[in-house]
Amino acid sequence: MYSGEFDGAAAFAGGGFMPSQATTVPDPSSSFSKNRNVRTLLPMTVKQLSELSSNDESSASIDGADVNTITVVGIVCDMQDKEPQFIFLIDDGTGRIECSRWAHEQMEFNEVNQISKGMYVRVYGHLKAFQDKRSLNAYSLRPIIDFNEITSHFVECIYVQLYNTRLRGGSSNQPQMTNSNHLKEYNAISSNHYSFDEGKSIDQMVLDFLRRPEFLANNNGVHRNVISQQLNLPMDKLMEALESLNENSLVYSIDEFHYKSAVNA
Amino acid sequence: MDTSNPAVFVNGGLMRMYVGRRIRTVIQVIQSDGGGVTGKSTDGHQLVVKGPQPGFPLTTFVEVIGIADTDRSIRAEIWNNFGNTFDTQSYNQLCQLANGEFKHLFI
């Protein structure tokens, strides 16, 4: 029975889950066990899932991040009861994917019984692949109640993709950070770097960079590799911006590789 | 997995890009009669939605999935009630992003 005296600190101290364990960097040499230890939860569209590259059935990655658990939001367009397995066909507007939910306990049956055809649901599950066919092993399916969640989910998909490809330093197929750093940076970056979206286009970023006093003073211009590195921009995006700025006479190129702002020239 | 029949996120202004194609959008219902449902898109355009209406009463905001007949009318396949409160501004921005730089995540 409840003794009435519950020392929370003592209950969770020593032995139990310690915060530092969450930030432990897994050994990068254990590449197979990496999938077991490093867990990611990625919001994705079915279109993205259909385009995942995978080296083998047990590991897949997108934009440099391991794909373990994913979440999708969509409409249930078909349901099959093959107790204890329930199969839902989810259509999120970008495609359809099959989600299997296994139910053994009452709570799981209750969860499944809440779902009906035509309903919007949020699914959490693991990606599984069988003979070229990808599906989800769902461990949670719940009806959407506030439909702003649909907007929020797709915006999150966009943000995470942007974060993994651009804000994190670019190169795909190279997981540069572990999941734990992911989480801390994700939260920090969302407040600091999100402002890139508001008002500052890539063109403007490049222009501002070239207008720094140290570059204005340098008659030799700045090498495009330096700009790319400093601004964390992939070269094709940088070149697009430089060409556009060049056309508008805001920058000019000294040779093929060095650029200078036309202001104060 | 089947990505052969997507429904593109659109607002009123984007519909002209997808005439004849399957789209999805959220409208605020203005009027509902035999001729169809007239609604306001998230970017303020007036749209008309035709097709068999659902058997349930519509809430203020409704998601319509169907074929864009013209740049201002839709032939609905699916109607989803989105309730009486909905953040149209965020949805509108999502439509713009989903048809711009991030189109590859959707279609």
Side-chain angles (χ1 to χ4, degrees), chain B residues 14-88:
Chain B
L14 290 164
M15 269 180 64
R16 59 182 177 80
M17 287 168 52
Y18 297 99
V19 173
R21 288 176 63 177
R22 198 155 176 262
I23 51 111
R24 68 197 302 188
T25 190
V26 172
I27 57 168
Q28 183 178 348
V29 178
I30 299 171
Q31 189 184 315
S32 172
D33 57 37
V37 171
T38 306
K40 188 170 78 161
S41 67
T42 54
D43 58 343
H45 290 105
Q46 185 161 301
L47 302 180
V48 172
V49 186
K50 302 194 174 151
Q53 287 190 30
F56 48 80
L58 299 176
T59 55
T60 306
F61 293 97
V62 169
E63 180 191 47
V64 174
I65 301 177
I67 308 290
D69 264 346
T70 69
D71 63 346
R72 291 285 182 262
S73 70
I74 304 169
R75 206 180 340 130
E77 290 169 358
I78 299 173
W79 302 78
N80 289 313
N81 271 341
F82 269 22
N84 296 325
T85 57
F86 185 72
D87 183 348
T88 52

Side-chain angles (χ1 to χ4, degrees), chain A residues 45-51 75 91-98 118 120 127 133-135 146-148 150-152 154-155 157-158 161-162 166 196-197 202 237, chain B residues 1-9 22 24 26 63 65 78-83 85-94 97-98 101-107:
Chain A
T45 65
V46 173
K47 171 96 191 330
Q48 279 180 290
L49 285 171
S50 71
E51 292 174 341
I75 298 177
D91 184 337
D92 75 344
T94 72
R96 298 181 162 194
I97 186 169
E98 218 174 67
Y120 260 105
L127 198 59
K133 181 180 143 182
R134 281 207 175 107
S135 62
D146 181 342
F147 296 92
N148 290 309
I150 298 169
T151 311
S152 161
F154 288 105
V155 170
C157 292
I158 290 173
Q161 208 251 356
L162 188 65
R166 203 188 294 177
F196 91 92
D197 210 6
I202 296 181
K237 289 266 186 236
Chain B
M1 253 191 298
D2 172 17
T3 55
S4 60
N5 199 18
V8 189
F9 278 104
R22 198 155 176 262
R24 68 197 302 188
V26 172
E63 180 191 47
I65 301 177
I78 299 173
W79 302 78
N80 289 313
N81 271 341
F82 269 22
T85 57
F86 185 72
D87 183 348
T88 52
Q89 201 189 11
S90 296
Y91 187 88
N92 199 48
Q93 292 205 291
L94 171 62
L97 290 169
E101 206 182 335
F102 301 97
K103 204 167 174 172
H104 58 284
L105 300 182
F106 296 87
I107 47 171

